[in-house]
Amino acid sequence: MTVSPTDTPLVEMRRIEKSYGRVQALHDVNLTIRRGEIVGLLGDNGAGKSTLIKVLSGAVPYTSGEIRIKGKPVTMTSTNDAIEAGIETIYQDSALVPQLSIARNLFLGRELTTGSLGRLDLNRMNEVAADLLKRVGISKNIPPTTPIGSLSGGERQAVAIARAMYFDSDLIVLDEPTNNLGVAETQGVLRFVREARDTGHSCIFIAHNIHHVFQVVDRMVVMRRGTVVADDLSPKTSSIQDVEDVITGDHILV
């Protein structure tokens, strides 16, 4: 039987291993992300979630295993490799330049230009930035020319999320995107995740707040001690208590 392109998973991570000396951070990890799917990646601190995401984003090398994007094997040696493969990762501590404006941070390294001389199109970048800030729930009228350094921690996180919204990536990885955000900003992020799915994009959503996860994901993957212990938990058939029990090991799936 011929597999159509739409049946091919967007991302496949197969038998991924990662060691730091004698410490086994990831052991025989398999993860599949389908097109248009929102997957919650859950687990206690030290479960391996961040390491797995850093491997997928090209931030750290993996010891062994295979990564496939749209059915084709790829080698992630840098974050640029991941970006070129259509993967945009927003970390909890996403690097922003305090001295630069909101708009300049949103387009850092991918600035819009105008004219034959390639001058920065500041007006266009400011317009896009203002619109994106509203979409992620920043209700205050903050000018896009405002330096990042003058924003609150929650507002900075919202700017990092807005940056991912603009660039048309196939997979957007959100590492604790609602951490330190207010109610309006949190709802803006969750709304963005839903919009991403509706437009055919995929997301990996990492959060300690399971209530936020349940609001947006199609499926939940749970990691514990560097391996995947459950990969098909549904918010429609599992309760928050069920998922918490799997995370802590109080409930073993059979």
Side-chain angles (χ1 to χ4, degrees):
M1 181 179 67
T2 302
V3 177
S4 70
T6 55
D7 293 331
T8 303
L10 177 62
V11 173
E12 294 176 274
M13 303 181 77
R14 301 177 175 179
R15 304 178 302 280
I16 298 296
E17 304 269 345
K18 174 60 183 176
S19 298
Y20 294 97
R22 295 182 178 179
V23 177
Q24 189 82 13
L26 297 175
H27 175 64
D28 196 29
V29 173
N30 295 290
L31 178 67
T32 298
I33 308 295
R34 304 178 186 90
R35 298 166 193 261
E37 182 181 38
I38 310 300
V39 175
L41 184 59
L42 307 173
D44 272 338
N45 291 332
K49 307 184 304 297
S50 293
T51 302
L52 183 64
I53 291 311
K54 287 177 180 177
V55 165
L56 181 59
S57 67
V60 299
Y62 46 104
T63 306
S64 63
E66 181 183 39
I67 298 176
R68 287 177 173 261
I69 306 294
K70 300 178 182 177
K72 298 180 179 179
V74 298
T75 301
M76 297 294 189
T77 59
S78 70
T79 54
N80 285 335
D81 288 340
I83 291 172
E84 290 178 4
I87 300 172
E88 187 84 21
T89 304
I90 303 299
Y91 294 105
Q92 182 179 347
D93 56 352
S94 288
L96 298 171
V97 182
Q99 296 81 8
L100 292 182
S101 70
I102 293 172
R104 289 297 304 277
N105 270 279
L106 283 170
F107 291 93
L108 194 62
R110 291 176 280 191
E111 289 81 1
L112 301 181
T113 58
T114 184
S116 58
L117 298 178
R119 291 175 295 182
L120 292 180
D121 192 347
L122 294 176
N123 289 335
R124 179 59 181 154
M125 287 193 287
N126 286 336
E127 289 174 3
V128 173
D131 178 63
L132 288 172
L133 291 179
K134 293 177 182 178
R135 288 180 61 192
V136 293
I138 295 183
S139 56
K140 292 191 296 183
N141 186 24
I142 302 176
T145 54
T146 304
I148 284 288
S150 65
L151 302 182
S152 68
E155 289 166 343
R156 295 186 194 191
Q157 180 70 341
V159 169
I161 297 298
R163 184 167 59 190
M165 293 175 67
Y166 182 75
F167 295 100
D168 195 24
S169 303
D170 293 316
L171 174 66
I172 301 171
V173 182
L174 301 169
D175 186 5
E176 296 287 351
T178 58
N179 193 39
N180 297 323
L181 297 190
V183 174
E185 293 166 339
T186 295
Q187 291 305 312
V189 170
L190 298 180
R191 184 169 57 251
F192 156 61
V193 174
R194 296 187 191 99
E195 289 177 359
R197 174 175 50 203
D198 292 343
T199 53
H201 300 285
S202 302
C203 287
I204 297 177
F205 189 97
I206 305 170
H208 281 97
N209 191 318
I210 299 181
H211 294 275
H212 293 164
V213 174
F214 263 67
Q215 291 183 52
V216 294
V217 304
D218 302 301
R219 176 169 60 95
M220 289 168 285
V221 174
V222 176
M223 294 188 68
R224 191 165 63 240
R225 298 179 181 177
T227 191
V228 172
V229 296
D231 67 357
D232 60 354
L233 298 176
S234 168
K236 296 180 180 179
T237 58
S238 300
S239 68
I240 289 178
Q241 186 62 56
D242 290 336
V243 175
E244 289 178 341
D245 287 345
V246 176
I247 290 173
T248 60
D250 290 338
H251 175 65
I252 304 299
L253 297 178
V254 295

